[in-house]
Amino acid sequence: MRYDSITEAIGNTPLVRIDPAVHGLAHIDLYAKLELLNPFGSVKDRAAWNMARPHLRAAAANGRQIVELSSGNTAKALAVLAGMHGLTFRSVTNRMRIPEIKDLLLLLGAEIEELPGQSECLDPTATDDPLTLFHRTLSEPGGAFLHTDQYFNPRNTEAHLTGTGPEIVKDLDGRAPDWFIACVGTAGSSTGVARALREHDPAVRVVGLVADKSDFIPGIRTIDEAREVGLFDPGTYDAIEAVSADDAIEGMLTLNRRCGILAGPTGGAAYFGALRRLRSADEELTGRQSAVFIVCDRVESYLSYVRRRRPDLFGRPSRRNAPADVSDTEVHEAPAIGVAEAQAWIATGRPLVVDLRSPSAYAALHIDGSVNIVDELFEELVHGGLPFSRNRPVLLACPVGEKSARYAALLTRMGHPEVRSLTGGIIAWRDAGAPLVRD
């Protein structure tokens, strides 16, 4: 197969049947759409090319820089496309959480700007958030940048409406699958594919997978984060379900070891979520059905992420006091405190206020007198035992109060007598009009 440009190799990825001996479904044929085989390594190649392509010639003529609010696969694809067309690329993000991706972006010549933001993702309603203000500046017509705007650009969805979805139908001999299961990031792929499939069969059932609110899976948003994305429409999905990082890694290992598919955690989450949903449906079927999930990208970029959560896979001892070991019941029952109570407690009880957000988010705005310990570092500290004296009360704060609740539950289990989570996090504090200071 011969091409004149690497961009011609984007799309037309294989649809591979998963061996029933692996998944155990009796009446459902399960297929993986292998988007990891796109030339730049992920499903985002399609959207990046579709968003940038119409504007590249003008951008090159005017010396404009391609800019995207991305810390992952979209940034990687755009960095490659920029270099191919004699342009520069800048990745603007609140936080680079995957070191392998950051190193690869630098290798590709990208500029990386970690811009302060109050939360871990773009919140278009936060008019004083630096990340939101920068997004609005980029979106103004006639600017110095080519802003591809993956969270709001309809060409993101269009790439899958005209490409990924029809490819699935073609490979299933002109039929849409009965089920489509997709992880929700920008919502471009899940929305576009769902629309394409339902054009062939309105009865297609679509399941959207989001990350547990207190967890982090690369490329997948929590339901709260998804609601901030302009392309996200809850009506697209027949059901929206959460998966955990542990679920994602277990699914990934099955695809890696049993299927020969070198999927990353996002593909693992899609496989795990698909099986969980399909097992109950499979028990009620007598005829045959089909289901498709997307394998977004490859495992190699996420080895540090997996190693941190599953050191046993690399011949290292399992970690003590892991936040993932805390049950949902413990999180629900974790000691928490609202904004007004927290203000009174800070004024009278003098607790140590620990802000778990990124350094840039903390620098933008934080509670006066708080200390910043980013959540990954805090997790490392907790592995070694209680990081604070039992005599010092502690108030934990994160963007929306989910991660801090998990840590509050864990520290309580470990014996700290007075630790609380700020309900609703820094966002609730801001919305209540409570004071925040800036470095």
Side-chain angles (χ1 to χ4, degrees):
M1 193 173 295
R2 177 176 171 176
Y3 298 120
D4 292 324
S5 170
I6 189 66
T7 57
E8 295 177 17
I10 296 173
N12 292 309
T13 55
L15 187 69
V16 174
R17 182 172 178 262
I18 303 297
D19 189 342
V22 175
H23 59 65
L25 300 172
H27 304 98
I28 300 178
D29 295 313
L30 181 60
Y31 296 89
K33 180 67 167 165
L34 300 189
E35 291 297 293
L36 79 171
L37 295 181
N38 277 305
F40 314 139
S42 86
V43 67
K44 298 296 187 180
D45 293 10
R46 296 180 187 260
W49 180 229
N50 202 48
M51 292 186 297
R53 184 175 61 230
H55 310 289
L56 288 171
R57 182 172 296 180
N62 296 312
R64 298 167 72 193
Q65 181 180 55
I66 301 178
V67 178
E68 181 56 81
L69 274 65
S70 170
S71 58
N73 287 316
T74 304
K76 179 174 66 174
L78 287 171
V80 176
L81 293 169
M84 289 175 59
H85 292 84
L87 300 168
T88 60
F89 171 72
R90 186 192 306 183
S91 168
V92 180
T93 179
N94 179 269
R95 186 175 179 186
M96 278 281 179
R97 301 188 70 162
I98 305 297
E100 293 94 335
I101 297 292
K102 183 173 184 177
D103 288 344
L104 181 55
L105 286 174
L106 293 172
L107 185 69
L108 293 171
E111 300 174 19
I112 298 174
E113 184 171 353
E114 294 188 69
L115 192 70
Q118 294 172 29
S119 62
E120 294 300 325
C121 58
L122 176 68
D123 179 359
T125 66
T127 56
D128 59 345
D129 189 313
L131 195 62
T132 303
L133 292 173
F134 188 71
H135 177 267
R136 291 183 178 181
T137 300
L138 288 175
S139 302
E140 293 175 356
F145 303 104
L146 167 50
H147 179 208
T148 43
D149 200 12
Q150 64 171 338
Y151 296 111
F152 297 90
N153 192 336
R155 291 186 66 87
N156 181 347
T157 301
E158 180 188 272
H160 305 284
L161 176 63
T162 60
T164 319
E167 289 172 20
I168 291 172
V169 172
K170 178 184 176 182
D171 288 340
L172 292 176
D173 300 321
R175 300 187 309 273
D178 298 281
W179 297 85
F180 174 57
I181 300 95
C183 295
V184 180
T186 65
S189 59
S190 59
T191 301
V193 172
R195 289 179 185 172
L197 298 181
R198 283 174 171 155
E199 286 180 0
H200 286 264
D201 183 357
V204 174
R205 281 157 288 187
V206 179
V207 179
L209 301 174
V210 295
D212 275 347
K213 287 188 176 183
S214 58
D215 223 335
F216 167 62
I217 305 172
I220 310 180
R221 289 178 170 256
T222 67
I223 186 60
D224 293 331
E225 291 169 339
R227 291 191 182 106
E228 297 170 357
V229 177
L231 300 178
F232 175 74
D233 177 5
T236 299
Y237 312 94
D238 295 288
I240 298 177
E241 302 176 358
V243 289
S244 70
D246 287 342
D247 298 338
I249 292 173
E250 284 302 318
M252 181 195 77
L253 290 174
T254 299
L255 293 175
N256 296 167
R257 296 176 174 183
R258 300 289 308 280
C259 305
I261 298 172
L262 297 184
T266 310
Y271 175 73
F272 185 96
L275 274 192
R276 186 177 61 191
R277 164 57 68 144
L278 295 175
R279 282 193 183 110
S280 58
D282 188 55
E283 296 173 356
E284 302 174 1
L285 292 175
T286 53
R288 296 211 64 77
Q289 290 191 351
S290 60
V292 173
F293 68 96
I294 289 179
V295 177
C296 175
D297 60 8
R298 298 178 63 90
V299 66
E300 291 91 339
S301 293
Y302 304 101
L303 293 180
S304 64
Y305 170 85
V306 178
R307 185 183 298 111
R308 188 164 60 247
R309 285 156 179 79
R310 288 289 304 276
D312 57 295
L313 296 174
F314 301 86
R316 301 176 182 180
S318 297
R319 293 186 168 189
R320 300 169 53 245
N321 306 323
D325 295 338
V326 178
S327 69
D328 291 341
T329 299
E330 287 178 288
V331 174
H332 180 72
E333 296 175 350
I337 188 170
V339 173
E341 294 175 281
Q343 286 183 282
W345 192 32
I346 291 171
T348 59
R350 311 298 295 174
L352 174 64
V353 182
V354 179
D355 191 321
L356 300 169
R357 298 175 300 151
S358 70
S360 56
Y362 176 84
L365 287 170
H366 57 267
I367 298 171
D368 192 19
S370 62
V371 298
N372 182 214
I373 308 178
V374 66
D375 56 349
E376 285 95 341
L377 177 57
F378 193 76
E379 182 174 343
E380 294 292 331
L381 293 173
V382 171
H383 287 316
L386 279 174
F388 313 113
S389 166
R390 287 179 170 83
N391 297 323
R392 181 73 186 271
V394 176
L395 174 63
L396 301 174
C398 68
V400 295
E402 299 291 345
K403 192 177 295 291
S404 59
R406 183 166 294 273
Y407 279 116
L410 179 59
L411 294 180
T412 299
R413 180 204 282 183
M414 293 169 63
H416 197 290
E418 196 173 7
V419 58
R420 300 174 190 173
S421 168
L422 177 62
T423 302
I426 298 298
I427 299 301
W429 184 280
R430 178 202 69 191
D431 292 346
L436 291 165
V437 298
R438 188 187 307 271
D439 277 353

